[in-house]
Amino acid sequence: LPPRRIVTLTTDFGLVDTFVGRMKGVALGICPDVEIVDLTHEVPAHDVEAAGYLLWTAYTAFPPGTIHVAVVDPGVGTERKGLAVRTEHHVFIAPDNGLLTRVLEEEPPGAVHFLEATHYFRGEPSATFHGRDIFAPVAAWIARGTDLAHLGPEATEWVRLPRRPLDLAPGRPSPVRVLHVDRFGNATLDVARNILEPALARSAGRLSVQTLAGPVSELRRTYGDGSGPGPFLLFNSSGHLEVALREGRAADALGLEPGLDVLLILEA
Amino acid sequence: LPPRRIVTLTTDFGLVDTFVGRMKGVALGICPDVEIVDLTHEVPAHDVEAAGYLLWTAYTAFPPGTIHVAVVDPGVGTERKGLAVRTEHHVFIAPDNGLLTRVLEEEPPGAVHFLEATHYFRGEPSATFHGRDIFAPVAAWIARGTDLAHLGPEATEWVRLPRRPLDLAPGRPSPVRVLHVDRFGNATLDVARNILEPALARSAGRLSVQTLAGPVSELRRTYGDGSGPGPFLLFNSSGHLEVALREGRAADALGLEPGLDVLLILEA
Amino acid sequence: LPPRRIVTLTTDFGLVDTFVGRMKGVALGICPDVEIVDLTHEVPAHDVEAAGYLLWTAYTAFPPGTIHVAVVDPGVGTERKGLAVRTEHHVFIAPDNGLLTRVLEEEPPGAVHFLEATHYFRGEPSATFHGRDIFAPVAAWIARGTDLAHLGPEATEWVRLPRRPLDLAPGRPSPVRVLHVDRFGNATLDVARNILEPALARSAGRLSVQTLAGPVSELRRTYGDGSGPGPFLLFNSSGHLEVALREGRAADALGLEPGLDVLLILEA
């Protein structure tokens, strides 16, 4: 492990309030040489699934030993538990509300522990801000070397968000969800390259995404390719299929929003 | 003191321009191992009182020895002075415009100095950006170990913002200001738990907040409690009374904005 | 050079997605003790010239040896090259699309290299995110001590954005572009103090900026000066002429937007 452990933060706290700064203050008080990196604090409020997707896009960019804290927590102060998970390369800390579903499908958990040992918390935790009172201090103690086994009992079950299976068969439309609309208006679809490319190879090879505003079927390699003015498809930097528009906002042009479905069609 | 001193920043500079980055560059040039943490840069433009409130919500999350720089400074370049204040646990640096009023009510000042020793400034300070030219370099010199006494003469008077006293008597409505609306639409009221709870204990124990959109009187423990759809009250993570709405925006639903008054009623 | 090298980031990636966090993760994986500072991630999408202006406002606030990474990159994945430039005090890394034009006019390049040595990249670079795959890792390798000469062949030509010469003669209106509107609504004009002040001294000394909403001709020293309610001019903290309004938004009041022209008139 590197001498300075990295802690990443993913929340829906925004940057207008001081929630994020307070988490950092608590962590630095416990582990002064921790390196804290913001992934995003603009997860839509209370959207646990979006938080899981955004964390998933970013965690593999970090070196082994990184501790990822994600707090989107509509159930704060209720009976929901907290989790610390060690995988082969990373540590993840989050409320047990399904946030880690997508990450743990890709990076199987080694050890999973509930956060119950209150002496790793900040005093008497508030009922409203476990980011400051539980998740940040626990991350800082792990950065200082605390083993996950000290944090609480091993968990054998935890909350998983349901995932709709993707069934790609030529000629039959498959519903696919819009996962995210990025800063440039690109709409990310819940279809990974490593699933879609083999299916494309087995079909006649043409692909179409049907939106309420019409079909999009041209697959390009990058945003600057080609000259046509209309929307097109590409695989983005996380390996997901994306609807884009050259120097424009595809999501606005086509009425795409996170949570909406489009239809994916492999032509027969 | 820890080997790496922490400097926090609270400003109304936003994150679209490079004002904040320039403050950090100047500080790192003077004290390369300083750890800089953003509290918020989204204080409403020129709102000195909001800056003081937001700084107050966050400073106690930081370890002793932290240096807090707050710059909301409509009087930049005029005769207003700059202050450096040492309290028992922290150092605060700000324009002398009342920004520190709330913090210094809670954490009494040990030494207060005006910022006059120009050799701790950045060259010839501009008339428009003392964040970069005075406050950031002074913070970095303090982080390097400069004593406050070297920064300028001791101050015996400084600007304080007026505070309306809260007079809680059962049956008589007390006007209370909306201090802040957070990212989730929760409206924070200028009533602290340690004032209100004793008053509640002395009264019949029921509390009501009267807004233009109607009364709110249910006091819950956390955001996820209960099942009713309407707005409710709770004490937030800073210990202030807050109007909230489960997975909704109470401020929007009730027309609450910072600076507006509501009426607080302890039932007789 | 200081023991911890500083890397600044200027992009149009915003803070809603995880693009910036991923760049930081990659850089910290290569050079764990690098100090990363955000200048801004809110450059208008695809606006290469605005990125160059915003970087220019900030780079001189940083100590010698700082590595500045700027990524506004509508041509990502196409034939456009990447650049690393060493000047007397700084290193700049950006796509070769003219972004560095303004900086390199002020701080002449010593060595300029194209980024071609793929072993300094992150695996096989994607076609859509060279910030993560090329620019961040190259910056981290330079922070670790890699000489620019190892990154690729020396460049003798690179893309420069055209600049309209400013011809100031008394009595003759000169078109001047609005460079930027800052967080406070101040409109920055593409006229530097060191050009304008000598011209003012040679003329009758009165200056006027003609906007579609009328002329602005009062030159003040700072935002808090004077008492008039109307818009006024001042030189901002970067030394550019700016149209401001006391505790108001001059750009909104006068209909000024980046890219629009106003007329600058030195009275005869």
Side-chain angles (χ1 to χ4, degrees):
Chain A
L1 292 185
R4 288 169 73 207
R5 292 289 290 273
I6 302 169
V7 169
T8 78
L9 301 180
T10 301
T11 77
D12 62 350
F13 294 158
L15 296 174
V16 172
D17 304 295
T18 61
F19 300 124
V20 175
R22 286 187 259 174
M23 289 180 68
K24 293 178 181 176
V26 169
L28 288 165
I30 293 167
C31 184
D33 61 356
V34 72
E35 174 74 28
I36 305 174
V37 178
D38 301 305
L39 296 187
T40 179
H41 299 291
E42 303 291 348
V43 176
H46 312 303
D47 191 337
V48 172
E49 188 167 7
Y53 168 71
L54 288 165
L55 172 60
W56 175 90
T57 63
Y59 82 97
T60 55
F62 285 81
T66 299
I67 300 160
H68 302 277
V69 178
V71 190
V72 171
D73 193 14
V76 62
T78 65
E79 288 301 300
R80 76 101 190 88
K81 294 171 181 287
L83 291 179
V85 182
R86 186 184 301 285
T87 66
E88 187 178 351
H89 300 299
H90 299 266
V91 175
F92 298 93
I93 299 172
D96 182 19
N97 60 12
L99 195 157
L100 297 177
T101 303
R102 189 178 290 266
V103 160
L104 298 183
E105 280 176 11
E106 186 174 83
E107 176 120 343
V112 182
H113 289 266
F114 290 123
L115 305 181
E116 296 191 359
T118 57
H119 48 284
Y120 295 109
F121 299 171
R122 179 177 186 256
E124 183 66 32
S126 70
T128 57
F129 191 10
H130 288 187
R132 176 193 62 187
D133 299 336
I134 296 179
F135 300 113
V138 162
W141 282 108
I142 295 173
R144 278 185 64 157
T146 298
D147 194 273
L148 269 64
H150 296 306
L151 301 172
E154 194 151 0
T156 52
E157 277 304 310
W158 52 88
V159 176
R160 290 159 219 240
L161 296 181
R163 294 283 299 277
R164 181 167 59 190
L166 181 62
D167 179 19
L168 288 174
R172 192 175 63 206
S174 302
V176 164
R177 221 159 51 85
V178 177
L179 273 179
H180 181 65
V181 172
D182 77 12
R183 141 95 159 166
F184 301 97
N186 303 309
T188 309
L189 306 179
D190 196 1
V191 186
R193 184 177 205 144
N194 59 0
I195 303 291
L196 184 54
E197 283 195 336
L200 267 175
R202 288 193 307 268
S203 77
R206 278 186 58 85
L207 171 74
S208 166
V209 167
Q210 184 70 44
T211 77
L212 289 171
V216 183
S217 54
E218 188 185 353
L219 186 61
R220 295 186 187 171
R221 201 181 54 86
T222 190
Y223 300 107
D225 277 352
S227 59
F232 56 90
L233 305 170
L234 53 61
F235 290 109
N236 71 12
S237 62
S238 302
H240 275 73
L241 193 66
E242 195 172 274
V243 187
L245 190 60
R246 191 163 173 187
E247 299 191 25
R249 298 184 59 83
D252 296 351
L254 299 172
L256 300 176
E257 287 178 20
L260 290 184
D261 276 345
V262 297
L263 289 178
L264 183 72
I265 304 171
L266 288 181
E267 295 186 14
Chain B
L1 292 184
R4 289 169 73 208
R5 292 290 290 273
I6 301 170
V7 169
T8 79
L9 301 179
T10 300
T11 77
D12 63 350
F13 294 158
L15 296 174
V16 172
D17 303 295
T18 61
F19 300 124
V20 175
R22 286 187 258 173
M23 288 180 68
K24 294 179 181 175
V26 169
L28 288 165
I30 293 166
C31 184
D33 61 356
V34 73
E35 175 73 29
I36 305 173
V37 178
D38 300 306
L39 296 188
T40 178
H41 299 291
E42 303 290 348
V43 176
H46 312 303
D47 191 336
V48 172
E49 189 168 5
Y53 168 70
L54 288 164
L55 172 61
W56 175 88
T57 62
Y59 81 97
T60 55
F62 286 82
T66 299
I67 301 159
H68 302 277
V69 178
V71 190
V72 171
D73 194 14
V76 61
T78 65
E79 288 300 301
R80 76 101 191 89
K81 294 171 181 289
L83 291 178
V85 182
R86 186 183 301 285
T87 66
E88 187 178 351
H89 300 299
H90 298 267
V91 175
F92 298 93
I93 299 172
D96 182 19
N97 59 13
L99 196 157
L100 297 178
T101 303
R102 188 177 291 265
V103 161
L104 297 182
E105 280 176 12
E106 185 174 84
E107 176 120 342
V112 182
H113 289 265
F114 290 122
L115 305 181
E116 296 191 0
T118 56
H119 48 284
Y120 295 109
F121 299 171
R122 179 177 186 256
E124 182 67 33
S126 69
T128 58
F129 191 10
H130 288 188
R132 175 194 62 186
D133 299 337
I134 295 179
F135 300 112
V138 162
W141 282 108
I142 295 172
R144 279 184 61 159
T146 298
D147 193 274
L148 268 64
H150 296 305
L151 300 173
E154 194 151 359
T156 52
E157 277 303 311
W158 51 90
V159 176
R160 289 160 220 240
L161 297 181
R163 294 283 300 276
R164 180 169 58 191
L166 180 63
D167 178 19
L168 288 175
R172 191 174 63 206
S174 302
V176 164
R177 219 159 51 84
V178 177
L179 274 178
H180 181 65
V181 172
D182 77 11
R183 141 93 158 168
F184 301 97
N186 303 309
T188 310
L189 306 180
D190 196 0
V191 187
R193 183 176 207 144
N194 59 359
I195 303 292
L196 185 54
E197 283 195 336
L200 268 174
R202 288 192 306 270
S203 77
R206 279 186 59 84
L207 171 74
S208 165
V209 168
Q210 184 68 45
T211 76
L212 289 172
V216 184
S217 55
E218 189 186 351
L219 185 61
R220 295 187 187 170
R221 203 181 52 87
T222 191
Y223 301 108
D225 276 353
S227 59
F232 56 91
L233 304 170
L234 53 63
F235 290 109
N236 72 12
S237 62
S238 302
H240 275 73
L241 192 66
E242 195 171 274
V243 187
L245 189 60
R246 190 163 174 187
E247 300 190 24
R249 299 183 58 83
D252 296 352
L254 300 172
L256 300 176
E257 287 178 22
L260 290 183
D261 276 344
V262 297
L263 289 178
L264 184 72
I265 305 171
L266 288 182
E267 295 184 15
Chain C
L1 292 185
R4 290 168 72 208
R5 292 289 290 274
I6 302 169
V7 168
T8 79
L9 301 180
T10 301
T11 77
D12 62 351
F13 294 159
L15 295 174
V16 173
D17 304 294
T18 61
F19 300 125
V20 174
R22 286 187 258 175
M23 288 180 69
K24 293 178 181 175
V26 169
L28 288 164
I30 293 166
C31 184
D33 61 354
V34 74
E35 175 73 29
I36 304 174
V37 178
D38 300 306
L39 296 187
T40 179
H41 299 291
E42 304 290 348
V43 176
H46 311 304
D47 190 336
V48 172
E49 188 168 6
Y53 168 70
L54 288 164
L55 172 60
W56 175 88
T57 63
Y59 82 97
T60 55
F62 285 81
T66 299
I67 300 160
H68 302 278
V69 178
V71 189
V72 172
D73 194 14
V76 61
T78 64
E79 289 300 301
R80 76 103 191 88
K81 293 169 181 288
L83 291 178
V85 181
R86 187 184 299 284
T87 65
E88 187 178 351
H89 300 298
H90 298 267
V91 175
F92 298 93
I93 299 172
D96 182 19
N97 60 12
L99 195 157
L100 297 177
T101 303
R102 188 177 292 264
V103 161
L104 298 183
E105 280 176 10
E106 185 174 83
E107 176 119 343
V112 183
H113 289 265
F114 290 122
L115 305 182
E116 295 191 0
T118 56
H119 48 284
Y120 294 108
F121 299 171
R122 180 177 186 253
E124 182 68 31
S126 70
T128 57
F129 191 11
H130 287 187
R132 176 193 62 186
D133 300 336
I134 296 180
F135 299 113
V138 162
W141 281 109
I142 295 173
R144 279 185 62 159
T146 297
D147 194 275
L148 268 65
H150 295 306
L151 300 173
E154 194 151 0
T156 53
E157 278 303 311
W158 52 88
V159 176
R160 288 160 220 240
L161 296 181
R163 294 285 299 277
R164 180 168 58 189
L166 180 63
D167 179 19
L168 288 174
R172 192 175 62 205
S174 302
V176 164
R177 218 159 52 86
V178 178
L179 272 179
H180 181 66
V181 172
D182 76 13
R183 142 94 159 165
F184 302 97
N186 304 309
T188 310
L189 306 179
D190 197 1
V191 186
R193 184 176 206 145
N194 60 359
I195 304 291
L196 185 55
E197 284 195 335
L200 268 173
R202 287 192 308 269
S203 76
R206 279 187 57 84
L207 170 74
S208 166
V209 167
Q210 184 69 45
T211 77
L212 289 172
V216 183
S217 54
E218 189 186 353
L219 186 61
R220 295 186 187 171
R221 200 182 54 86
T222 190
Y223 300 108
D225 276 353
S227 59
F232 56 90
L233 305 171
L234 53 60
F235 290 108
N236 72 12
S237 62
S238 301
H240 275 74
L241 193 66
E242 196 171 274
V243 186
L245 189 60
R246 191 162 172 188
E247 299 190 25
R249 299 184 57 84
D252 296 352
L254 300 172
L256 300 176
E257 288 178 20
L260 290 184
D261 276 344
V262 296
L263 289 178
L264 184 71
I265 305 172
L266 288 182
E267 295 185 15

